[in-house]
Amino acid sequence: MADTKIPVVASFSILGDLVSQVGGDHVTVKDLVGVNGDVHTYSPAPMDAVAVKDAQLVVINGLGLEGWLPRLMESAHFKGIEVVALKGINTLTLAEEGCDQHHSAAKESCDHHNHHHHGVYDPHAWNSVTNVKIYVKNIEAGLMKIDPAHASDYQHNAQAYLQKLDKLQLDIKRQFAKIPASQRVIVTSHDAFQYFSRDYDVTFLAPQGTSTDAEASAADVAKIINQVRDDHVRAVFIENITDNRMIEQISQETGAKIGGKLYSDALSGPNEPASSYIKMMEYNTATISNALK
Ligand SMILES: [Zn+2]
C-alpha cells in the first residue's frame, strides 16, 4: 500500500532542503520563498495561503526572519505543528558578540548597524554548521511527532545527514586554516554572516545591516569604503539575493576585487552551484578562501 506523503511547508529554500534530507520519501516540501529569493522582504502569494492551510507541518527559521509569516498562518487557519528550526541555538546579537570580536573595523561598522536594526537577535543562524545540526534535530522531532509511524526512518535520515554536516564542518575549518587570520576580512552587501564569522573566524563588513529592507545610506557606503582602504580588505562579494550596484561601487572606489557571488539567505536553482545547504556552504567557503589566498 502506498504511503500518503506528509505535506510540509518551509518558509525558505534552505529550510526546505533540510526538511527533505530528514523527511526523505515520506514528505512533500513546499518552500514559500523560492531559490535566490529574499526572505526579508517577501510578500506572500495567494497560493502560499493554500499551501499553509494544507500543511501538517510548517518549518520556520525564527528570530523575526519571516516577519510576514504569522499573519499568513493566521489567515490560512493553520492547524498543524509549527517547528522553529533554530530553537536552542546559541544566538548572536549585533550589539554584543557581532561587534566586539575579531577586528576594529567590524566594531566600528556595528555602531551604524544598530540604527536600522529591527530586533535584538541576528536570525541568519544557518550560516553556522553547528547551528544547522540543531535545526536538523528540531525538524526530526517535528516529523516524528506528526508521523510517528515513520519515526525510525526520520531518525536514520537525520543521523546520516548529521554525519555529512560533521564532515562539512571539518572541511570548512580546514579551508580557512590555510589563510592567515589577519587576511580574513571581506565585504558583503548585507550582514548575513555573523554566525559564519563566529564559527570560522572570518570578519564580514556590510553596509546594509542584517535586513535587506533598509537601504544603505551614502554615509554607510562611504564608511565601508574607508574601512576597506584602511584595513586593506582584499575582496568584496555580491550576494544572490541583493542588488549588486553598491558592491560594484565599493570595488571601483577601493580597488578591492569582486571575489564572486555568495549565497547568503537562499539556495540557488539546480543549475547553479548552491542547490543544497551543503553545496551552498562548500561554495561560499571555496569562493571566500580563493579570494583571500
Ligand atoms: Zn539576510
Side-chain angles (χ1 to χ4, degrees):
M1 195 176 75
D3 280 351
T4 311
K5 296 196 182 209
I6 306 288
V8 182
V9 162
S11 59
F12 71 121
S13 54
I14 293 168
L15 293 182
D17 178 44
L18 302 178
V19 174
S20 297
Q21 297 296 336
V22 181
D25 293 339
H26 301 310
V27 299
T28 55
V29 185
K30 154 85 179 160
D31 302 338
L32 297 179
V33 183
V35 296
N36 296 315
D38 184 349
V39 62
H40 297 288
T41 58
Y42 186 67
S43 298
M47 285 305 290
D48 293 338
V50 176
V52 168
K53 182 175 174 290
D54 293 344
Q56 290 186 43
L57 194 70
V58 169
V59 181
I60 75 166
N61 182 72
L63 290 182
L65 180 75
E66 306 98 335
W68 41 270
L69 191 59
R71 200 165 65 184
L72 176 67
M73 288 172 72
E74 199 179 287
S75 69
H77 303 293
F78 175 65
K79 297 278 193 304
I81 291 178
E82 180 188 67
V83 168
V84 179
L86 58 59
K87 195 176 168 198
I89 67 152
N90 194 356
T91 51
L92 281 178
T93 65
L94 265 188
E96 292 167 21
E97 292 91 336
C99 293
D100 291 333
Q101 66 186 0
H102 301 322
H103 207 267
S104 62
K107 184 172 172 55
E108 202 186 316
S109 76
C110 286
D111 295 338
H112 84 102
H113 282 158
N114 291 332
H115 296 306
H116 48 74
H117 181 55
H118 299 302
V120 180
Y121 297 107
D122 181 351
H124 298 88
W126 59 86
N127 279 318
S128 150
V129 174
T130 304
N131 288 345
V132 165
K133 290 174 71 178
I134 294 170
Y135 281 43
V136 167
K137 296 300 287 179
N138 287 330
I139 290 166
E140 176 192 2
L143 286 168
M144 286 169 64
K145 198 166 171 185
I146 210 90
D147 182 22
H150 294 117
S152 62
D153 288 349
Y154 299 133
Q155 286 173 318
H156 180 264
N157 293 347
Q159 210 49 47
Y161 190 63
L162 289 170
Q163 282 180 13
K164 289 183 187 171
L165 292 178
D166 284 336
K167 181 180 176 301
L168 174 67
Q169 179 82 314
L170 284 176
D171 288 346
I172 295 172
K173 291 194 167 172
R174 211 172 282 145
Q175 287 283 318
F176 286 121
K178 296 175 192 163
I179 299 162
S182 63
Q183 289 178 26
R184 295 183 213 154
V185 184
I186 67 166
V187 173
T188 58
S189 37
H190 96 294
D191 219 340
F193 291 97
Q194 288 203 91
Y195 292 92
F196 195 104
S197 178
R198 178 186 69 185
D199 282 17
Y200 311 118
D201 208 12
V202 177
T203 298
F204 291 77
L205 308 176
Q208 208 181 6
T210 50
S211 178
T212 56
D213 65 359
E215 294 276 316
S217 69
D220 292 332
V221 176
K223 199 165 188 173
I224 294 283
I225 286 171
N226 285 335
Q227 286 173 9
V228 168
R229 288 188 179 131
D230 291 350
D231 298 332
H232 309 288
V233 173
R234 294 177 170 220
V236 301
F237 292 85
I238 59 175
E239 290 171 46
N240 66 325
I241 65 150
T242 57
D243 187 338
N244 298 320
R245 283 172 297 185
M246 185 169 60
I247 290 298
E248 282 157 8
Q249 182 199 346
I250 293 168
S251 171
Q252 276 163 16
E253 293 197 19
T254 61
K257 69 182 168 188
I258 294 182
K261 186 201 284 185
L262 301 182
Y263 293 84
S264 51
D265 294 15
L267 300 180
S268 72
N271 300 320
E272 291 175 85
S275 58
S276 71
Y277 174 72
I278 287 177
K279 285 182 182 171
M280 178 186 90
M281 293 298 283
E282 287 174 344
Y283 185 79
N284 287 345
T285 298
T287 303
I288 294 167
S289 57
N290 286 338
L292 294 181
K293 269 176 195 157

